[in-house]
Amino acid sequence: MIRHRKRNEKDFWIGVLSLFLFVLVALPAQAELRIDITRGVVEPLPVAIPEFVGKKTQEQEIGQKIAFVILANLERSGLFRGVDPGAFIEKNVSLNIQPRFADWRVIGTQALINGGVKLELDGRLRVEFRLWDVVAEQQMQGLAYHTMPNNWRRVAHKISEAIYQRITGEQGYIDTRIIYIAESGPATHRIKRLAVMDQDGENHRFLTDGETLVLTPRFSKTAQKIVFLSYYQDIPRVYLFDIETGIQERLGDFPGMTFAPRFLPDDSAVVMSYAKEGNSDIYVMDLDTRQSKQLTSNPPIDTSPSFSPDGERVVFNSDRGGSPQLYTMNADGRNVRRISFGKGHYGTPVWSPRGDLIAFTKIYQNRFFIGVMKPDGSGERLLTESFRDEGPTWSPNGRVLMFFRQTPGNSDGIGDRIRLYSIDLTGYNEREVVTPLDASDPAWSPLIP
Amino acid sequence: MRRFLAMSAAILLLAACETQTAGTGGARGAGGASYAGAGSTSAQQELGANVGDRVFFDLNKHEIRADAQKTLKAQAEWLQQRSSLNITIEGHCDERGTREYNLALGERRANAVKDYLVALGVSANRITTISYGEERPVALGHNDSAWAQNRRGVTKVN
């Protein structure tokens, strides 16, 4: 019996194919089950996930919840569709025997995920799962995890992540978190709080009490630290917040407002804007030496900087040409090039973690769009449009964008709804990311280590 | 074992999250005043009623308009008669821009007002500036009239 089949290199084959056809690549017969996520999926892969089996009641309860969370994760990706459990013919799919593939094929299943839960004598929980290609009648993956019983949800995310990786050949974004700004109260006196949650909306918690206006949080590469803008004591400055220690500190000792912070890709420094006598320029502050370096110096506004993943280029927002547009420059501020040339205004550029694209907010004729373009400005593609779509953030695999959307209420501006949404880079699978209150300024964490 | 360690680390991470509001500094803070200068209420009322405490800007602009020049001249005179008062200029924007660009634009507007007052003889030492970007609108509608009211520089007595 194969217990802990290791993923090997060839499993991580990355499909880079043309974007012309919108088909699901799930080849039957001998070819391996695979989804090419560079294509728009019109027909999600049918997956069956029976409740994970267990002997004791507690094991069965956890097994039920784990199966539910995995299915929800996979369905949210837009790549999978759950087969109705009412149609299952084979019950109690034990880990110790091969599934009856014909019974799964006949109800339209292509992938089967089964698993088992066991409470060990030392109090730990052991969760094991198998991923089966029902058509080819072979096991694609099998892994086991140990954790404490109250950490079952994290295991469900780990399993979902493993399945996503196995079937798409790419790193996923399921075991991640979102930090964002929770909003409440009337627009004139809006209360804004830092909040963090798992990618699926669970484990939600507020990190600040709403006394102080906070904006634009962003994660570090390790997901342990956050930079954000706080109006603490009515002095708007960039703060660094360590989730592990709970320690916060004002970043640097600038006499004027600092804002629009982001970590550099290696976490060694933070890039941000500093407004000196009304003029905003871009600075990089080294987190070890606390020395800052000025990258732009001219009268127009330079803000919203974001580094390329190789750390060599910076994309930013500037109105040096007369209106807010996107520019790139070298990490030392040289070699500035304008990259946005479409109609309208551009803002909040964010470099993809894959390096291949820049996401942005576009404003044209009082409508807001989320779009992407190549780093040289070519290939602009708009993914969303509404009264207000703003502030894109990339999933760590560079395949999904999250942003916030404001839906107006009545004509007096009462009853507005501001929520988080995600959309695949293909332009498909737009969906709301459910939050307890209104929400804005999302930032997606890297995969949790 | 490696996996178990990873899970343990995750638990620690979650536990750390729960204690975060106990931290000090930027994310919390006493006061809760969203606006600068809740201090001299009567002076503020007088400024608002008799002089005009705010000026308005054109879309995406920070230049002081002709109507604003008149208001700021009156403000400068009023301030020169009350040399003990210090002020904060708030720069505000409408919602038709990105949040970050508006923070920069609000800062530019607040400084445009400051520069104008200084040119009229008000000591720069008496003036601080703050940008609220689009975070503190006074008019709620999503229309030109509301946006025109929100693109403003407000003089607050400290």
Side-chain angles (χ1 to χ4, degrees), chain A residues 399-416:
Chain A
R399 295 300 186 192
V400 185
L401 285 163
M402 196 178 292
F403 57 97
F404 72 90
R405 167 171 292 170
Q406 181 174 4
T407 307
N410 66 18
S411 59
D412 296 328
I414 309 289
D416 285 11

Side-chain angles (χ1 to χ4, degrees), chain B:
Chain B
M1 190 56 194
R2 216 180 55 114
R3 283 193 189 287
F4 175 62
L5 287 176
M7 289 295 166
S8 306
I11 294 166
L12 286 174
L13 184 72
L14 295 179
C17 283
E18 281 159 14
T19 61
Q20 276 156 20
T21 45
T24 56
R28 296 191 79 224
S34 304
Y35 294 87
S40 298
T41 313
S42 60
Q44 186 68 46
Q45 280 169 350
E46 190 192 327
L47 177 68
N50 302 338
V51 182
D53 66 352
R54 64 197 57 201
V55 295
F56 301 100
F57 295 89
D58 288 336
L59 178 64
N60 280 328
K61 298 279 193 259
H62 65 283
E63 287 78 16
I64 304 295
R65 305 192 320 209
D67 59 334
Q69 291 179 11
K70 207 175 143 193
T71 307
L72 293 181
K73 276 173 191 154
Q75 279 190 15
E77 277 176 34
W78 188 84
L79 285 166
Q80 275 160 345
Q81 288 159 13
R82 292 161 184 77
S83 57
S84 64
L85 294 184
N86 292 332
I87 56 167
T88 298
I89 314 276
E90 298 176 357
H92 297 272
C93 303
D94 68 26
E95 62 188 4
R96 302 281 84 188
T98 64
R99 191 187 310 292
E100 287 183 344
Y101 182 80
N102 279 338
L103 287 168
L105 183 58
E107 184 71 18
R108 200 148 74 170
R109 285 175 176 164
N111 275 272
V113 171
K114 176 183 172 179
D115 291 347
Y116 202 83
L117 290 174
V118 169
L120 292 171
V122 181
S123 166
N125 302 334
R126 298 172 62 190
I127 308 174
T128 51
T129 57
I130 186 168
S131 171
Y132 283 100
E134 61 183 68
E135 302 305 316
R136 292 288 180 257
V138 285
L140 288 183
H142 305 299
N143 51 57
D144 289 336
S145 145
W147 296 332
Q149 291 177 65
N150 290 333
R151 292 190 299 266
R152 70 200 191 278
V154 181
T155 302
K156 292 277 172 120
V157 178
N158 290 352

Side-chain angles (χ1 to χ4, degrees), chain A residues 149-183:
Chain A
N150 63 2
N151 205 30
W152 63 267
R153 184 179 291 279
R154 187 83 199 284
V155 171
H157 291 331
K158 288 268 184 202
I159 292 173
S160 311
E161 180 69 37
I163 291 162
Y164 182 102
Q165 290 186 8
R166 184 66 183 83
I167 291 192
T168 65
E170 294 208 8
Q171 211 171 54
Y173 52 86
I174 291 165
D175 194 21
T176 56
R177 292 209 183 96
I178 310 297
I179 187 147
Y180 74 99
I181 299 295
E183 303 192 11

Side-chain angles (χ1 to χ4, degrees), chain A residues 206-222:
Chain A
F206 296 105
L207 302 182
T208 65
D209 56 14
E211 288 285 309
T212 298
L213 176 62
V214 289
L215 302 169
T216 62
R218 277 90 193 233
F219 269 116
S220 71
K221 186 186 176 187
T222 60

Side-chain angles (χ1 to χ4, degrees), chain A residues 2 4-15 25-27 30-37 45 47 70 74 77 79-80 110-113 129-134 136-143 145 157-174 397 447, chain B residues 3:
Chain A
I2 306 165
H4 304 267
R5 213 186 80 162
K6 288 244 173 175
R7 298 174 305 231
N8 57 38
E9 281 304 314
K10 78 170 165 31
D11 292 340
F12 282 88
W13 175 82
I14 294 167
V25 183
L27 300 174
Q30 268 63 38
E32 194 174 77
L33 199 59
R34 176 170 297 280
I35 296 171
D36 180 350
I37 60 174
L45 185 80
V47 59
I70 294 171
L74 295 180
S77 76
L79 305 175
F80 300 87
Q110 290 192 46
L112 170 68
I113 297 157
F129 82 96
R130 304 282 159 73
L131 168 63
W132 301 93
D133 181 338
V134 170
E137 301 198 354
Q138 61 193 19
Q139 181 180 311
M140 293 180 73
Q141 198 169 34
L143 289 168
Y145 299 82
H157 291 331
K158 288 268 184 202
I159 292 173
S160 311
E161 180 69 37
I163 291 162
Y164 182 102
Q165 290 186 8
R166 184 66 183 83
I167 291 192
T168 65
E170 294 208 8
Q171 211 171 54
Y173 52 86
I174 291 165
N397 66 356
L447 278 180
Chain B
R3 283 193 189 287

